[in-house]
Amino acid sequence: MVGRSELDQWTGYDEEEETTQGWTVQKINEFFFLTDPHDFLYYCFPDDPKWQLLTLPYDLKKFVGVPFLQEAYFKLGLRLVTEQSCILNDIDGAIETGFRIPEDYPIQMNYDLFYKREESEVDLDSRTSLNKYVIMNFEDNIWSFIVRFPVPGVYKLSIFGGHVDRDHVPWIADFRLICKKTREHCVPFPDAPWIGVGYSHEAQKAGLVDPSHKSGIIVMKPYQEIHMTFMMETILRLKVQFLHVILSEEELAEKFYSKKIVGRMDIIGKIPQHGDYLIKIFGKPKGTKGELKNICNYLICTEDPRPSGKRRKGWEVWTYLFMEWINTSWELVSTMLYDTNM
């Protein structure tokens, strides 16, 4: 399964082989040649623990619970930075999972959310747009997927990703999501932009730089004012769209507006009431043909959509980085010990 990017959305589809006359050609999958033992354990569990080739072997319980990661995850150099499990349970009616991407290889990610009716006790209206219950945020080289739920039940979250300049992107991972209790008065987000929210590669490529806000999720209080700024490296044609689940664009136009001065764009507004507000920025270099392209988005909300409503604090960031260093160092030591024993 791979993802397909068409205009403003990516969809998942299965590749089917066509029946033709000729010879069968065997193709070598080099991923399984001299595979790192730590990666190989996501696929196979040997009967004899010594063939895991790990200093600290997994037991069956740990193997069964590892994330359902695909080859592309390892080939792209991704790193799962949230819970290392294929089954995720909601916390306060929300679930978050995130992937760190390489700094020198821009990757666009996307997703599909499915409801497993046969395993759930509550029926879900088939017209429900589940993808609007997910917000995909890019910040500090991490793609985060934050999910809230319309009804309690069992869901599947499929993740896709690949280089930003490629139309066809591979399947990255699947997660089983279990929601026991939804958030009170839970509604979908105003939209599910395919490039997610946060300062994006598309904005940088278009020449919209030095944003005042890099995180795509901005938590504010009702009636609080916001002032966002961007610099323009080139002359751009820009349009800003403001969306809300209930309020119309005309009503929002009375509360938010954008303005351009030489080499700069400002977005100014005041939060009229509780809820989520999506700011979508469209643009292209002046004089070029074609329609304006969605290059950057931000979600302004009065309630943090992340689990427990807590944003990562400074000490949590340093703790995470320290644990990443410990894990990497231990894997290196384990490999050296194995080589020595061989």
Side-chain angles (χ1 to χ4, degrees), residues 208-257:
L208 197 64
V209 299
D210 295 333
S212 57
H213 299 70
K214 287 194 174 182
S215 174
I217 299 176
I218 304 171
V219 182
M220 303 183 66
K221 297 179 180 179
Y223 315 114
Q224 188 176 352
E225 295 184 352
I226 184 169
H227 188 170
M228 307 174 68
T229 61
F230 302 85
M231 302 304 293
M232 294 183 288
E233 290 184 328
T234 184
I235 301 177
L236 298 174
R237 283 188 57 199
L238 295 169
K239 182 183 78 171
V240 182
Q241 184 181 24
F242 304 98
L243 299 176
H244 185 268
V245 172
I246 299 175
L247 300 177
S248 67
E249 291 188 47
E250 290 73 21
E251 291 174 302
L252 292 175
E254 300 176 1
K255 304 295 181 180
F256 297 92
Y257 67 94

Side-chain angles (χ1 to χ4, degrees), residues 114-219:
F114 305 92
Y115 184 63
K116 302 180 78 68
R117 285 182 172 80
E118 67 280 4
E119 299 182 46
S120 304
E121 298 179 358
V122 181
D123 193 23
L124 177 67
D125 191 332
S126 60
R127 297 170 297 178
T128 303
S129 179
L130 282 178
N131 278 6
K132 288 189 176 181
Y133 284 85
V134 184
I135 198 71
M136 183 175 66
N137 180 44
F138 185 66
E139 180 182 4
D140 295 332
N141 285 324
I142 293 177
W143 278 109
S144 297
F145 300 83
I146 301 159
V147 187
R148 59 192 187 195
F149 305 93
V151 296
V154 180
Y155 297 77
K156 182 180 80 171
L157 179 66
S158 292
I159 306 294
F160 306 92
H163 192 275
V164 292
D165 293 329
R166 295 183 181 176
D167 291 333
H168 294 79
V169 292
W171 179 25
I172 299 296
D174 274 355
F175 295 93
R176 180 182 176 89
L177 311 183
I178 300 177
C179 175
K180 295 182 179 179
K181 184 179 180 181
T182 63
R183 290 193 172 184
E184 189 175 359
H185 308 303
C186 183
V187 296
F189 294 105
D191 197 7
W194 76 274
I195 63 169
V197 298
Y199 182 65
S200 67
H201 178 77
E202 294 294 330
Q204 185 178 5
K205 187 168 64 174
L208 197 64
V209 299
D210 295 333
S212 57
H213 299 70
K214 287 194 174 182
S215 174
I217 299 176
I218 304 171
V219 182

Side-chain angles (χ1 to χ4, degrees), residues 12 25 69 78 90 102 173 301:
V25 178
L69 305 175
L78 302 176
D90 79 282
C301 42

